[in-house]
Amino acid sequence: MEEMRYDVHDMPKPSLLVGLSFQHLFAMFGATVLVPILVGIDPAVALFSSGLGTLAHLSVTKYKIPAYMGSSFAYIGAMQTLLKTDGIGAVAQGAITGGLVYFAVALIVRKLGNDWIDKILPPVVVGPIVMVIGLSLASVAVNDVMLKDGSYNVSYVVIGLFTLFAVILFNIFGKGIIGVIPILLGLISGYLFSLLFGLVTGQEIVSFTEVQTANWFSLPAFNIPFLTYSLKFYPSAILTMAPIAFVTMTEHFGHVMVLNSLTGRDYFKDPGLDKTLAGDGLAQVLAGLFGAPPVTSYGENIGVMALNKIYSVYVIAGAAVFAILLSFIGKISALIHSIPTPVVGGISLALFGVIGASGLKILIESKVDLDNKKNLFITSVILISGIGGLIIQTPWLHIPGVAVSTIFGILLYQILPEND
């Protein structure tokens, strides 16, 4: 392990602390605001819950783990479906349910350890589910790039592809911090290109009307139970979001392992996996209570720490405070709203593909044998039911494709015999 500049509990001097915290803010910003944009939620609420969730996670883990919480991409499809069918109340209830799942698993881990998790979510189940999460959103990304008001628009395609290649180039050729924030840099590049393209072609690709009329200080569009909507039981939301929580847990385990390696500690023992899971759970519950997308620990911020060798929890806490403050600046929210659809689509083409490919990576690294009939059928059923959008629909229940495929995968792994 390379020599660290600031250990977990080291406090940089104030001027350096501000700069380092802003660096983490930039690292998570693009992805954190992209999720609510894709779903149809105010990005300011996501920024607020990102900062609040991070502070909550730090508190639960006794300020021992330098982890930053940002909007989770795994829930995008589920949130889009729930918003269309049941509204923001269902999305909030689903997010809270996901957090409660984390709490339940944390309690079980505290009593029984964590060996049982691999028996419920082996790589042959997790890999295809992660692939489904990415690939099931392919049409959303492509439509954002191609369509304007439902019709094919070549200008949108040009802007979308420019943004896509900007993200790829920043990711592959970017050095240092540049290579850690390709989403943010791709978003900025696509935005500036849209402005230039609009000037050259005489089209209004970017509108600043909302930015001009927005106040500098503005409350995020919070959706809070009993205050902005009446509380109602949504079984479809629970059955939709709860299975996805099990999938994001595998991402959580991976991030903790990376942090173990970077900091030279064993966070599975101190503060313990039960504490890290409970921290994620509390952050998700808080996100749901404010009407924000569910949150998860961010690899982008871990990447920043890997580059600069600064693991200070004070730097992470500073970034969280800045995110909360930024969420109350109305001009920033309006500027985010002005991002053209093809720019979002271009970034989505890269991101959703990477999510799908990471599922394939899980299968390859775990050396899952697809000549084994059990593994073959589990993978096949998950992929086709999930990507095809197989839903379970009754008058009182709606379970979308990702949740259905997750349930299928878990059940098939338990039911099918091991012997080929």
Side-chain angles (χ1 to χ4, degrees):
M1 184 177 69
E2 295 184 41
E3 185 178 353
M4 63 183 70
R5 298 178 184 174
Y6 288 95
D7 201 356
V8 175
H9 294 111
D10 290 342
M11 167 79 86
K13 61 183 180 179
S15 58
L16 181 59
L17 177 65
V18 170
L20 293 172
S21 293
F22 265 108
Q23 188 170 244
H24 276 283
L25 182 70
F26 293 146
M28 68 84 189
F29 189 88
T32 290
V33 301
L34 182 61
V35 173
I37 289 171
L38 291 170
V39 174
I41 294 174
D42 182 9
V45 180
L47 277 176
F48 177 84
S49 70
S50 167
L52 184 64
T54 299
L55 294 177
H57 190 276
L58 287 170
S59 298
V60 172
T61 56
K62 302 177 181 178
Y63 279 78
K64 292 182 177 181
I65 301 181
Y68 193 92
M69 311 299 289
S71 303
S72 173
F73 281 86
Y75 294 89
I76 289 176
M79 286 189 288
Q80 288 174 333
T81 301
L82 290 171
L83 272 176
K84 290 178 183 176
T85 56
D86 298 306
I88 188 65
V91 173
Q93 194 168 113
I96 292 171
T97 300
L100 294 178
V101 168
Y102 271 81
F103 281 131
V105 174
L107 285 173
I108 297 173
V109 167
R110 187 166 187 171
K111 296 292 184 183
L112 304 178
N114 56 18
D115 292 341
W116 61 274
I117 295 174
D118 287 336
K119 298 177 183 178
I120 302 296
L121 292 169
V124 71
V125 173
V126 174
I129 292 170
V130 174
M131 292 173 70
V132 165
I133 288 171
L135 298 178
S136 63
L137 294 166
S139 62
V140 175
V142 171
N143 288 338
D144 281 347
V145 168
M146 292 195 310
L147 304 181
K148 180 181 181 181
D149 299 325
S151 302
Y152 182 84
N153 188 291
V154 69
S155 298
Y156 271 35
V157 173
V158 172
I159 294 169
L161 293 181
F162 176 89
T163 305
L164 168 65
F165 287 112
V167 172
I168 293 172
L169 291 174
F170 281 123
N171 193 45
I172 292 178
F173 298 107
K175 302 298 182 183
I177 190 64
I178 299 297
V180 176
I181 55 172
I183 296 172
L184 178 62
L185 294 176
L187 189 151
I188 293 171
S189 300
Y191 194 95
L192 294 176
F193 181 76
S194 299
L195 288 172
L196 179 63
F197 192 87
L199 289 173
V200 172
T201 61
Q203 302 177 63
E204 188 184 50
I205 306 295
V206 182
S207 174
F208 289 109
T209 303
E210 187 180 348
V211 179
Q212 292 168 349
T213 58
N215 296 319
W216 279 103
F217 177 80
S218 178
L219 281 174
F222 294 127
N223 284 285
I224 302 173
F226 301 112
L227 292 180
T228 55
Y229 64 89
S230 57
L231 196 61
K232 179 183 173 184
F233 180 60
Y234 296 98
S236 58
I238 293 171
L239 289 171
T240 298
M241 304 278 263
I244 301 175
F246 286 105
V247 179
T248 59
M249 271 182 217
T250 63
E251 182 182 42
H252 171 86
F253 301 148
H255 286 168
V256 174
M257 288 179 195
V258 175
L259 287 171
N260 284 346
S261 175
L262 289 175
T263 63
R265 289 168 166 79
D266 187 350
Y267 291 124
F268 290 124
K269 293 182 179 178
D270 183 23
L273 184 58
D274 58 325
K275 290 285 195 304
T276 70
L277 287 169
D280 268 40
L282 179 58
Q284 282 211 34
V285 169
L286 290 172
L289 290 174
F290 285 97
V295 294
T296 186
S297 56
Y298 256 27
E300 290 91 336
N301 297 86
I302 294 174
V304 171
M305 288 185 279
L307 284 172
N308 62 20
K309 312 303 174 191
I310 295 171
Y311 312 121
S312 171
V313 291
Y314 298 104
V315 172
I316 297 296
V321 171
F322 287 140
I324 292 172
L325 294 176
L326 202 64
S327 70
F328 288 93
I329 301 177
K331 294 285 186 185
I332 296 294
S333 296
L335 192 64
I336 295 171
H337 282 142
S338 71
I339 298 172
T341 302
V343 173
V344 176
I347 296 172
S348 300
L349 284 176
L351 277 178
F352 298 160
V354 168
I355 293 172
S358 65
L360 182 61
K361 182 183 176 184
I362 290 172
L363 291 176
I364 294 172
E365 289 184 345
S366 302
K367 298 180 181 179
V368 173
D369 181 13
L370 292 181
D371 284 329
N372 180 294
K373 293 178 183 178
K374 175 177 179 175
N375 293 341
L376 178 64
F377 277 105
I378 290 173
T379 303
S380 302
V381 171
I382 291 174
L383 288 176
I384 298 305
S385 62
I387 298 172
L390 175 62
I391 65 172
I392 295 177
Q393 180 82 53
T394 70
W396 53 273
L397 182 65
H398 177 90
I399 309 179
V402 174
V404 170
S405 61
T406 301
I407 294 168
F408 281 168
I410 292 173
L411 290 178
L412 286 175
Y413 185 78
Q414 303 304 319
I415 293 172
L416 295 179
E418 288 294 335
N419 295 332
D420 191 4

